[in-house]
Amino acid sequence: MVHLSAIPHDDEINDTLVKAVKKVHLQLANDEDCFTTSVYGSKHAAADLPRFEMPEGEMPKEVAYRMIKDELSLDGNPMLNLASFVTTYMEEEAEKLMAESFSKNFIDYEEYPQSADIQNRCVSMIGRLFHAPVPESGDATGAIGTSCVGSSEAIMLAVLAMKKRWKNARQKAGKSTEHPNIVMSSAVQVCWEKAARYFEVDEKLVYCTEERYVIDPVETVDLVDENTIGICAILGTTYTGEYEDVKAVNDLLIERGLDTPIHVDAASGGFVAPFVVPDLEWDFRLERVVSINVSGHKYGLVYPGVGWVVWRGAEYLPQELVFNINYLGADQASFTLNFSKGASQVIGQYYQLIRLGKHGYRAIMSNLTRTANYLSDSLAALGFVIMSKQSGEGLPLVAFRLTPLPEGHEDDRNYDEFAIAHQLRVRGWVVPAYTMAPHTKNLKMLRVVVREDFTRNRCDGLIADIKQCQVLLESMDRESIRKQQEFVQKHHTSGGKAGGRHPKYRKEKHSLQGKTGKTHAVC
């Protein structure tokens, strides 16, 4: 039998309870959160998050987590960010291993000897992948390397080693050690400019042209003089992904009797070329290549940030740059720009190396190359000019631009590559538009990086959206496009919404960007 309940008369309700209920409704909640409601019923949900000063009181962990997570939801979707080379997908097991290692300070070899040994295993695997010389048993002249916080630190260390080695040789010969220089492409990533400026090394740039987006080997070697500490060759430029001809530079140096060392910036290509074009000679198979850096967090398939640098032999890393320390109880040789760092990225790299093996990396890089070829062919069919290489001659990316209009008809098109990039941003895609390196007459371009999680299905979605964007832009007049670009730039891009930049540093004149007004390629 269903229980029936009568609705009481107002007089039957306890007067005390009525007053209490009325009081609750008539006053705002006090400062005490008893959590009988959700996170969004707490006082913190109705207040601004602290921005400039630590709050006096604490915040419940559930609220802090949800408030920050909600704030981060305003970021873009990493998988739709086609500007970046940085890894956005790892398997759950890798994530779990890395999370379990967050508290490990990698520099503490005494406390975490297995983590240190795992780094050594990675260095050996990567060095052998790059055909580093393997010493005879008991020989201490073999290749050496270390993990870094991305390729930026790796490049800094390599430049330091080249400069010190050059300086030692000059001092031994009784010659001046002033005005060291390094030869490199104008398409280098900004960290090369930083290294040159921070360590007081002059830059000798090999400029790109409208037809050539990498260094010219002859022009490169022609710039070498007695003050040159080394040459930077890039295995996969950030602009077009093309591999620079390291072998041609190497052979020219030998032909001219120059012992100038080559450092290969393989930040992006180091984990691609060995699996897609294994016969391409760019690494330690070449006599003048003395050091190589690679980013584990790019095509090494690890979350940021981990990088690696390997030297051909100990003679290319001057001993005075290495510090022997037993700060935390274990003797160790240290060559870094920092001290403490987490072990999780190194462990993540080891997971990928043994989980995938050469076959797994080859399968992934082959798929990425196929997808890049497909995207390149599709964009060419839409009328774009393809600036990147296909089928393993460069990184799995597509650099492209609009077909140039005939002379005198430049005003017939109301939009440019930047308008397409801004229109794609409305659809959620982050496809960078920028001008090519200096001396290319401000050649505009777009670039799509094909990463592991950029599937064929997602590629089809991008192609469809690019086509729709073109259709829309062709129907708009120039002023409407300008207004839309202005709105997107101000409200949808980090540059428009960024705060906290000190006005003193907004208009520097010492970098390539400051001198030429162009933007650095997104890395």
Side-chain angles (χ1 to χ4, degrees):
M1 179 178 177
V2 178
H3 178 73
L4 297 176
S5 178
I7 299 174
H9 190 275
D10 289 346
D11 294 339
E12 298 177 34
I13 299 176
N14 187 290
D15 289 343
T16 304
L17 180 61
V18 171
K19 291 176 182 178
V21 171
K22 285 183 177 180
K23 185 177 181 182
V24 169
H25 281 283
L26 289 174
Q27 68 178 26
L28 297 176
N30 60 27
D31 290 337
E32 298 297 328
D33 287 325
C34 59
F35 278 86
T36 56
T37 181
S38 74
V39 167
Y40 298 106
S42 72
K43 65 179 181 180
H44 304 284
D48 287 336
L49 279 174
R51 294 178 182 272
F52 305 110
E53 188 175 352
M54 288 177 62
E56 287 296 330
E58 58 269 56
M59 182 184 294
K61 59 182 184 293
E62 297 89 348
V63 177
Y65 169 78
R66 176 53 62 176
M67 294 295 104
I68 296 174
K69 183 176 181 178
D70 288 354
E71 183 94 349
L72 292 174
S73 69
L74 298 174
D75 278 343
N77 182 344
M79 290 187 175
L80 298 182
N81 179 9
L82 305 181
S84 177
F85 289 91
V86 175
T87 295
T88 53
Y89 165 79
M90 292 184 76
E91 293 174 326
E92 290 183 8
E93 291 77 7
E95 293 179 344
K96 185 178 179 182
L97 265 178
M98 293 173 72
E100 290 169 352
S101 304
F102 282 161
S103 61
K104 292 185 178 181
N105 186 2
F106 179 76
I107 203 67
D108 191 346
Y109 293 3
E110 176 69 19
E111 186 68 20
Y112 309 114
Q114 289 309 117
S115 295
D117 190 55
I118 282 175
Q119 181 214 236
N120 298 340
R121 298 175 201 175
C122 290
V123 168
S124 178
M125 291 179 185
I126 293 169
R128 288 171 184 268
L129 185 66
F130 298 162
H131 299 92
V134 179
E136 299 294 332
S137 179
D139 189 355
T141 61
I144 54 174
T146 185
S147 63
C148 306
V149 185
S151 275
S152 292
E153 184 187 11
I155 287 167
M156 298 282 181
L157 297 179
V159 171
L160 272 176
M162 286 190 291
K163 180 182 177 182
K164 191 64 177 178
R165 187 165 174 264
W166 169 84
K167 184 177 180 179
N168 289 346
R170 298 283 290 178
Q171 288 178 329
K172 187 176 181 181
K175 297 180 179 179
S176 170
T177 58
E178 293 184 350
H179 305 297
N181 67 68
I182 187 167
V183 179
M184 56 188 180
S185 167
S186 63
V188 290
Q189 209 268 351
V190 68
C191 65
W192 280 97
E193 287 193 78
K194 289 182 179 180
R197 180 161 291 272
Y198 294 171
F199 303 138
E200 298 182 320
V201 177
D202 296 335
E203 302 168 37
K204 282 195 170 184
L205 297 176
V206 181
Y207 285 97
C208 300
T209 69
E210 290 181 82
E211 295 78 29
R212 175 178 52 77
Y213 311 131
V214 291
I215 59 171
D216 174 71
V218 174
E219 185 179 345
T220 299
V221 177
D222 284 346
L223 288 174
V224 171
D225 60 25
E226 64 178 5
N227 290 330
T228 301
I229 67 171
I231 296 172
C232 162
I234 311 172
L235 194 74
T237 67
T238 57
Y239 286 96
T240 64
E242 187 176 349
Y243 298 149
E244 295 190 324
D245 195 342
V246 188
K247 188 177 188 307
V249 175
N250 175 84
D251 293 349
L252 270 174
L253 289 172
I254 294 173
E255 181 183 315
R256 298 185 185 183
L258 300 171
D259 62 356
T260 308
I262 299 173
H263 174 88
V264 180
D265 181 357
S268 299
F271 278 112
V272 179
F275 304 109
V276 179
V277 282
D279 293 332
L280 179 67
E281 293 184 60
W282 61 272
D283 51 19
F284 292 118
R285 285 171 287 184
L286 303 176
E287 184 180 337
R288 292 293 187 266
V289 173
V290 303
S291 52
I292 301 171
N293 70 277
V294 65
S295 291
H297 60 231
K298 292 182 180 176
Y299 288 109
L301 308 180
V302 183
Y303 290 142
V306 61
W308 304 89
V309 59
V310 182
W311 286 269
R312 175 183 288 275
E315 65 269 30
Y316 297 102
L317 175 53
Q319 186 174 7
E320 57 265 44
L321 293 177
V322 179
F323 289 82
N324 294 310
I325 55 176
N326 60 358
Y327 177 68
L328 294 171
D331 290 329
Q332 54 187 287
S334 175
F335 183 36
T336 64
L337 295 182
N338 67 297
F339 195 67
S340 294
K341 69 176 180 180
S344 56
Q345 270 70 28
V346 170
I347 292 168
Q349 183 74 81
Y350 185 60
Y351 172 90
Q352 295 290 51
L353 292 175
I354 68 170
R355 158 73 176 94
L356 297 172
K358 293 180 180 178
H359 181 273
Y361 270 94
R362 189 176 298 113
I364 291 170
M365 299 310 156
S366 296
N367 270 351
L368 299 187
T369 301
R370 293 188 188 99
T371 301
N373 287 347
Y374 172 72
L375 176 59
S376 182
D377 291 341
S378 300
L379 291 172
L382 290 177
F384 289 98
V385 175
I386 306 302
M387 303 169 67
S388 48
K389 300 292 185 179
Q390 289 191 2
S391 304
E393 291 187 49
L395 300 174
L397 64 78
V398 182
F400 58 105
R401 60 190 175 95
L402 290 165
T403 303
L405 295 174
E407 189 174 349
H409 294 269
E410 290 83 1
D411 292 335
D412 289 355
R413 184 190 291 134
N414 291 332
Y415 64 95
D416 61 3
E417 288 80 358
F418 287 87
I420 294 175
H422 284 123
Q423 193 62 44
L424 285 170
R425 183 68 72 101
V426 177
R427 294 286 297 153
W429 300 104
V430 179
V431 176
Y434 43 82
T435 52
M436 187 56 195
H439 294 198
T440 57
K441 295 184 179 179
N442 290 321
L443 194 66
K444 298 176 183 177
M445 60 183 292
L446 295 144
R447 192 198 66 199
V448 171
V449 176
V450 178
R451 295 193 306 270
E452 183 182 7
D453 54 1
F454 188 69
T455 60
R456 175 71 170 266
N457 184 61
R458 188 170 293 161
C459 182
D460 282 334
L462 173 65
I463 294 167
D465 280 343
I466 290 175
K467 185 175 181 180
Q468 291 298 323
C469 288
Q470 280 189 284
V471 171
L472 177 61
L473 289 169
E474 286 170 1
S475 69
M476 297 171 65
D477 60 72
R478 192 180 298 272
E479 181 61 17
S480 297
I481 293 174
R482 186 194 65 78
K483 288 181 178 179
Q484 185 189 48
Q485 282 188 265
E486 195 175 87
F487 179 84
V488 172
Q489 178 67 29
K490 185 175 181 180
H491 299 287
H492 287 265
T493 65
S494 59
K497 297 186 290 185
R501 292 188 302 168
H502 197 286
K504 178 180 178 180
Y505 305 109
R506 288 178 185 171
K507 294 183 179 181
E508 49 85 5
K509 296 295 182 183
H510 53 264
S511 71
L512 272 174
Q513 179 168 327
K515 292 173 182 176
T516 64
K518 65 159 298 299
T519 56
H520 282 104
V522 183
C523 191

